Amino acid sequence: MNISNLRAREILDSRGIPTIETEITLEDGTKAKGAVPSGASTGTTEVLEMRDDDKARYFGDGVLNAVSKVETEIKTAIVGMNYDTQADLDNFLILLDGTLNKSKLGGNSILSVSMAFARAMAISTKQPLYQYFAKAYFGDEYESKFKIEMPQSMVLLMEGGKHGNWATDFQEYMVVPKKERFPKYSDVVRAGAEIFKATHDALLKRGYSATVGFEGAFAPHEIRSNTEAFEIMLEGVELAGYKVGEEIVLALDMAASEFYDRETGKYNLKREGLILSSEEWLEKQADWFRQYPIWSIEDTLFEEDWDTWVRLVDQFGSTMQIVGDDLLTTNVERIRKAITADAANAVLVKINQIGTITETIEAIKMAKSVGWGAVMSHRGGETNDDLIADLAIGTMSGQTKFGGPDRGERLAKYNRLTEIELGW
Ligand code: PGA
Ligand code: ZN
């Protein structure tokens, strides 16, 4: 399909920080937009998020340069050109940028175009966005391999780290309604929302505050330790009438690169008053994994602590899901390295870590090819764009992580999944 116009603008994300939104027009008149998310605790090997560094605007966080890249260099190169597939456009953009980390045009500029194109193509070819993604993912095998299967979702209840004012050292505490016990997605959403409400009540009972962090979950500053969050969550699950272990298990994203001290090579757990070597930290984690019904763990280690990642998988990989986020940054090369080393058994998938839909699809394919899990994920800074819900369905990623049920930009994704389930 020929592209006939492209325009971009600076909008605000869910934290009040600028991000980029691009609108594409196809030759048949179809218009569609894509709005790019933004991380708070980013991995070092993510593609470049182009910001202005003009301290006079938004403390340097403006994205007018990225907007200008779309409206000048990218526009000049792609308007009037024909792209038959998502890969055709994305590969062209990758070449146009020419750098490994998309630093010439900006990962955010490129992704906004990639997203807008996907949505415009789906509209123009009169198919749901997830179906367009499924065709891009499965290719010739689309008919035989694709079916709509609702994901198992990690629902966020408590936040700490950078997202939650360092209420705890760890970033995300989640509940996971087990897929086999919750085959209907609307029941997953209901369980998540009911447990969230019950957790709210459990917090108030303790005299703790119940305000939420970046991703729509509780971040009480009164909390006394990292593990108290588990206790509160489990209380919430029981209060809501669900069975811990049988129906609901726990998932955790520690975002450990944020509390790892690169100078000393130690893990600095402020809430525990502990400074631990990799070995000691692994032992401490092992205690918790024995004590609490934790099924999935993400980034419990620093993103370059490869040897300890390998030991983690060796010890817990057969019973737990071990997810690499900052470790892998949705990057095929890093995923390949981790597969070879046996350093994780699942990948967290974030479209803006890598910067195009096509590369995101390749990352999921690589993980799935060796039986790994793939968790489609939001970012700390989000918009109401719900494209990742369709991408999760289209790629049959099997799992999602879209935050807590208390902020519109998170619910946009949950609500899109329930819409897909209804077949609307
Ligand atoms: P981020 O965090 O988007 O702020 O990096 C989300 C996550 O780590 O899952
Ligand atoms: Zn993470």
Side-chain angles (χ1 to χ4, degrees):
M1 181 71 74
N2 255 287
I3 294 173
S4 64
N5 198 20
L6 206 56
R7 57 180 183 167
R9 66 184 183 125
E10 187 179 64
I11 61 168
L12 293 182
D13 73 16
S14 51
R15 303 164 300 176
I17 296 174
T19 188
I20 181 169
E21 179 176 64
T22 286
E23 182 192 68
I24 209 165
T25 310
L26 301 179
E27 64 173 339
D28 65 2
T30 306
K31 284 183 197 289
K33 292 188 280 196
V36 174
S38 170
S41 60
T42 49
T44 319
T45 54
E46 296 189 19
V47 296
L48 177 92
E49 181 177 71
M50 187 174 279
R51 297 212 176 262
D52 300 340
D53 290 326
D54 169 5
K55 300 289 178 223
R57 299 185 71 252
Y58 293 109
F59 308 98
D61 284 334
V63 292
L64 295 182
N65 286 339
V67 165
S68 155
K69 291 288 180 195
V70 172
E71 294 199 327
T72 56
E73 283 164 73
I74 297 178
K75 181 174 172 179
T76 309
I78 71 173
V79 164
M81 301 281 284
N82 184 66
Y83 302 97
D84 288 333
T85 65
Q86 187 71 32
D88 284 349
L89 172 78
D90 289 343
N91 290 332
F92 180 83
L93 292 170
I94 292 164
L95 280 177
L96 185 68
D97 176 83
T99 67
L100 275 178
N101 67 344
K102 302 192 173 62
S103 53
K104 181 162 171 261
L105 298 172
N108 46 350
S109 325
I110 292 172
L111 180 62
S112 71
V113 178
S114 183
M115 292 169 79
F117 181 74
R119 195 169 263 132
M121 287 291 278
I123 296 170
S124 169
T125 51
K126 299 191 171 42
Q127 56 185 327
L129 186 53
Y130 64 79
Q131 190 177 319
Y132 171 82
F133 286 140
K135 287 177 184 166
Y137 185 89
F138 291 100
D140 290 344
E141 295 180 318
Y142 164 75
E143 293 287 348
S144 61
K145 294 243 165 108
F146 176 68
K147 60 178 193 302
I148 295 180
E149 217 170 71
M150 301 316 287
Q152 178 161 284
S153 291
M154 301 174 180
V155 181
L156 189 69
L157 291 190
M158 311 267 298
E159 307 189 56
K162 252 190 186 168
H163 289 188
N165 243 334
W166 291 97
T168 54
D169 293 310
F170 311 147
Q171 197 167 276
E172 302 182 332
Y173 294 81
M174 295 163 283
V175 284
V176 187
K178 284 180 167 177
K179 173 100 178 137
E180 66 266 27
R181 301 302 297 263
F182 295 87
K184 269 179 69 191
Y185 199 73
S186 54
D187 289 336
V188 172
V189 171
R190 181 164 78 91
E194 288 174 354
I195 296 169
F196 185 82
K197 171 75 172 64
T199 303
H200 174 271
D201 296 346
L203 286 167
L204 292 192
K205 219 170 64 194
R206 286 171 194 238
Y208 289 7
S209 61
T211 49
V212 301
F214 281 173
E215 296 184 337
F218 305 114
H221 57 87
E222 300 91 346
I223 201 158
R224 290 188 304 262
S225 69
N226 292 317
T227 47
E228 194 187 359
F230 297 135
E231 312 285 349
I232 296 169
M233 285 166 79
L234 294 175
E235 199 179 318
V237 173
E238 270 160 21
L239 271 174
Y242 293 95
K243 294 191 192 72
V244 173
E246 218 173 290
E247 293 177 314
I248 307 282
V249 285
L250 305 184
L252 198 58
D253 175 11
M254 292 197 185
S257 296
E258 299 296 328
F259 57 85
Y260 177 82
D261 186 335
R262 285 159 212 241
E263 307 265 295
T264 60
K266 300 263 166 106
Y267 291 87
N268 190 355
L269 296 168
K270 293 209 178 75
R271 295 313 308 259
E272 313 281 327
L274 291 174
I275 296 177
L276 302 175
S277 67
S278 294
E279 196 51 49
E280 291 162 340
W281 175 219
L282 204 54
E283 277 168 29
K284 183 94 195 143
Q285 289 186 45
D287 283 347
W288 291 342
F289 301 158
R290 274 189 286 271
Q291 230 176 312
Y292 299 102
I294 299 168
W295 164 69
S296 178
I297 48 171
E298 176 184 333
D299 282 1
T300 67
L301 296 164
F302 171 53
E303 67 198 24
E304 297 297 345
D305 193 356
W306 285 88
D307 294 346
T308 318
W309 275 93
V310 172
R311 290 216 295 283
L312 184 70
V313 172
D314 188 43
Q315 279 185 40
F316 301 105
S318 59
T319 50
M320 292 175 82
Q321 174 167 269
I322 299 173
V323 189
D325 173 12
D326 293 348
L327 175 79
L328 304 173
T329 56
T330 319
N331 179 314
V332 169
E333 292 315 316
R334 288 185 73 89
I335 297 168
R336 197 194 312 275
K337 180 177 170 184
I339 290 171
T340 309
D342 235 339
N345 61 26
V347 60
L348 197 79
V349 179
K350 291 168 164 171
I351 48 178
N352 78 320
Q353 280 182 329
I354 195 65
T356 63
I357 297 294
T358 300
E359 289 162 291
T360 307
I361 284 176
E362 290 310 317
I364 300 170
K365 272 191 198 165
M366 166 143 299
K368 292 273 175 178
S369 73
V370 293
W372 276 26
V375 186
M376 187 64 62
S377 171
H378 66 159
R379 300 261 14 196
E382 268 296 335
T383 73
N384 289 343
D385 194 307
D386 56 8
L387 176 143
I388 56 172
D390 285 78
L391 193 57
I393 297 293
T395 60
M396 296 180 73
S397 74
Q399 295 182 59
T400 60
K401 184 177 101 162
F402 292 163
D406 194 76
R407 292 180 60 134
E409 74 281 359
R410 315 291 149 183
L411 289 162
K413 282 84 169 163
Y414 285 104
N415 289 339
R416 173 62 185 143
L417 286 179
T418 53
E419 185 176 50
I420 293 172
E421 176 168 61
L422 286 174
W424 284 19

